[in-house]
Amino acid sequence: MDLALLRTFVTVHRAGSFTRAAALLGLSQPAVTSQIRTLERQLGRPLFLRQARGVTPTSIGDELAHKAAPHLDALAEIAETGLDGEYTPRTLHLVGPPEFIAERALPSLATMTGQDGRSFALRASFGTAEDSLEGLAAGHHDLAISTARPRGSLLTATALCDEEHVLIAAPRWAARLGPGRLRRKGVQALAHLPVVEVHESLPFVTRYWATVFDAVPAASGTVVVPDLRAVLSCARAGAGLAVVPRYLTAPALARGEVVALLEPAVPPLRTYFLVVRTGTLSMPHIARAHEWLLRAGTGWD
């Protein structure tokens, strides 16, 4: 059986689409379709059921993928490292939220780009969870950090860390609220305060309000900027209240530049996932970065 046909088959099985598999393989869609048909003729069985959106493997297709994929991944690892096990430096393409990439992921991975004989070059880009996962699936990135868990078998996600959210404002806004007012009046005490957010939909404030107050925020964004570091800077300057991850705001809290308006017993959390295309952890540079970030993530919760 032709290994090239099996490689195409496994890629289609993981991608769930001839179009997406073609992009990952660097082939045209007709070429991928032709290879799958050739393999089906050789086996005398259909491997996929064609649907309006993508394909679904048959039971024979699932069985073949289960048997073939580990061996193809092992061959890919040999191709990456060589028969003598010598490591060939590669470039790792990382994508994720700008502030998390800048403040946590890059400082952790920077030590792996040195001259240690096992290093790799690093290229980072920023994107929303949806854009990052789409780019990863299309082969534009090797590793994604996402707050959304992907569906399907093309991408494999591992929980990386949890992020605690804090409701903050500059000291002058906290003084206007007065001691204990927020505890007494609840969300009503915040109704007329300006809001700093990353998007018009107020994703962080809305999540906080739903979790802590079981309510929907009444205000709209006064300042909207798509970077949590900028949100923190605006809140620190007195532009309004904001909901920011604790790891970002901890130094400003310690210096008294912002104040935590509330410390709920169960603070809102958001989980980050480390996501790769299924099978690519056989590549040493992706596997090393994946392992390194998971190890670093144990100290981020």
Side-chain angles (χ1 to χ4, degrees), residues 230-260:
V231 168
L232 174 60
S233 295
C234 291
R236 192 167 51 215
L241 64 83
V243 175
V244 181
R246 186 172 290 277
Y247 80 89
L248 277 181
T249 196
L253 285 169
R255 293 190 295 264
E257 297 169 347
V258 293
V259 176

Side-chain angles (χ1 to χ4, degrees), residues 37-284:
R37 286 176 177 169
T38 298
L39 187 58
E40 288 177 329
R41 283 195 300 270
Q42 291 179 0
L43 294 173
R45 300 283 189 88
L47 298 173
F48 296 104
L49 300 176
R50 279 68 169 175
Q51 298 179 334
R53 299 182 64 180
V55 293
T56 301
T58 63
S59 58
I60 297 297
D62 276 334
E63 182 181 358
L64 179 59
H66 179 73
K67 291 180 178 178
H71 300 290
L72 290 171
D73 291 341
L75 289 173
E77 183 177 5
I78 292 172
E80 288 289 322
T81 59
L83 291 175
D84 57 0
E86 183 178 348
Y87 179 75
T88 302
R90 296 288 300 271
T91 298
L92 179 80
H93 295 270
L94 176 71
V95 67
E99 56 285 325
F100 194 93
I101 292 288
E103 300 294 328
R104 285 193 154 174
L106 288 180
S108 297
L109 291 175
T111 57
M112 302 186 71
T113 62
Q115 302 301 316
D116 63 352
R118 300 282 291 174
S119 63
F120 50 78
L122 181 60
R123 300 290 183 270
S125 55
F126 304 144
T128 64
E130 182 180 1
D131 291 341
S132 297
L133 294 180
E134 286 183 0
L136 178 65
H140 302 315
H141 316 295
D142 300 313
L143 196 59
I145 295 174
S146 171
T147 53
R149 182 190 288 273
R151 297 180 179 179
S153 59
L154 175 62
L155 303 179
T156 299
T158 306
L160 176 59
C161 66
D162 288 330
E163 172 184 88
E164 179 187 342
H165 291 172
V166 187
L167 177 63
I168 62 165
R172 69 182 182 89
W173 287 111
R176 285 192 185 187
L177 285 174
R181 183 181 174 190
L182 182 54
R183 287 192 295 273
R184 292 195 308 272
K185 293 193 172 183
V187 71
Q188 295 177 355
L190 304 171
H192 301 294
L193 268 64
V195 174
V196 187
E197 256 284 10
V198 296
H199 191 271
E200 296 288 353
S201 63
L202 310 184
F204 283 83
V205 170
T206 298
R207 186 183 300 112
Y208 193 98
W209 259 233
T211 303
V212 176
F213 302 119
D214 193 22
V216 176
S220 59
T222 301
V223 178
V224 176
V225 54
D227 188 310
L228 284 168
R229 293 166 297 183
V231 168
L232 174 60
S233 295
C234 291
R236 192 167 51 215
L241 64 83
V243 175
V244 181
R246 186 172 290 277
Y247 80 89
L248 277 181
T249 196
L253 285 169
R255 293 190 295 264
E257 297 169 347
V258 293
V259 176
L261 300 180
L262 191 65
E263 292 287 0
V266 182
L269 297 176
R270 183 169 68 162
T271 300
Y272 283 92
F273 298 94
L274 200 54
V275 190
V276 297
R277 288 189 304 282
T278 302
T280 57
L281 285 179
S282 62
M283 299 180 181

